[in-house]
Amino acid sequence: MPVQVLPIPAVSFDAVSFAYSGEPVLDAASLLIPAGEFALLTGENGAGKSTMLRLILHEVSVMSGCVSVFGKPVSSRTGWRDIGYLAQRASNPNFPASATEVVEMNLPYGRARLSHRAARDAAAQALSEVGMSHCAGRLISGLSGGQLQRVMLARALVSHPRLLLLDEPTGGLDAVSRRALYGTLGKLNERDGVTILMVTHDIGEAEPFSTMVVRLQSGQLETRGAQRREPEDPRKPEVRA
């Protein structure tokens, strides 16, 4: 009888415990996110959702248990270019750089550095993916909040990550910008197979684009399938009562 080989999950938490100043965030919690999923990470404010992303990026270390990405413990990873990260807000939105230059900042440097032409082509493709080609030469300080987030998404995507981590990326965006960003993420997930883990409080708008929902509560992780439905046209105006 042939041995069944199970696919390697994109992200796994194996009995992970972690605490801040004695306050537990995870208590022997376990989680499997298969490759190719679009997972939403939800929970109350202060539950530790952003901390989970920091554990995956090995910015902080577990107290016990193991966090792995594509089958390898994060504690032993030496390369991170297959993981993209998008924060809630750009760290310096007034930095004097164009959208293209900001995207190029996430390309290889040193011996692996691309030629100027190759770097420009890679940045142009990433900006095209997120619908921002028309802003390639504009300074990021002159962009709207939604435009800036899409530029930062292009920056995360230019290295062709297999896993994309997003920490409440729609904070401060209007309804049209939020739906446009979700639509871009859904396309990347379905068409390119990028695994996505996104922290969000906006479960109502985001869930139609996702495939699974993870809830962090009282130090434990609960998962369920997403309730998929046809998402609204991102250009459709928000209806207010």
Side-chain angles (χ1 to χ4, degrees), residues 41-46 49 168 199-204:
L41 178 56
T42 69
E44 300 296 329
N45 286 331
K49 302 180 295 297
E168 297 192 59
V199 174
T200 184
H201 289 288
D202 189 18
I203 189 72

Side-chain angles (χ1 to χ4, degrees), residues 132 143-151 172-174 177-178 181:
M132 287 296 291
L143 301 179
S144 69
Q147 289 173 330
L148 181 57
Q149 275 300 72
R150 281 190 281 165
V151 169
L173 302 187
D174 61 32
S177 297
R178 290 196 305 270
L181 184 61

Side-chain angles (χ1 to χ4, degrees), residues 92-97 140-141:
N92 189 358
N94 295 315
F95 189 75
I140 61 171
S141 58

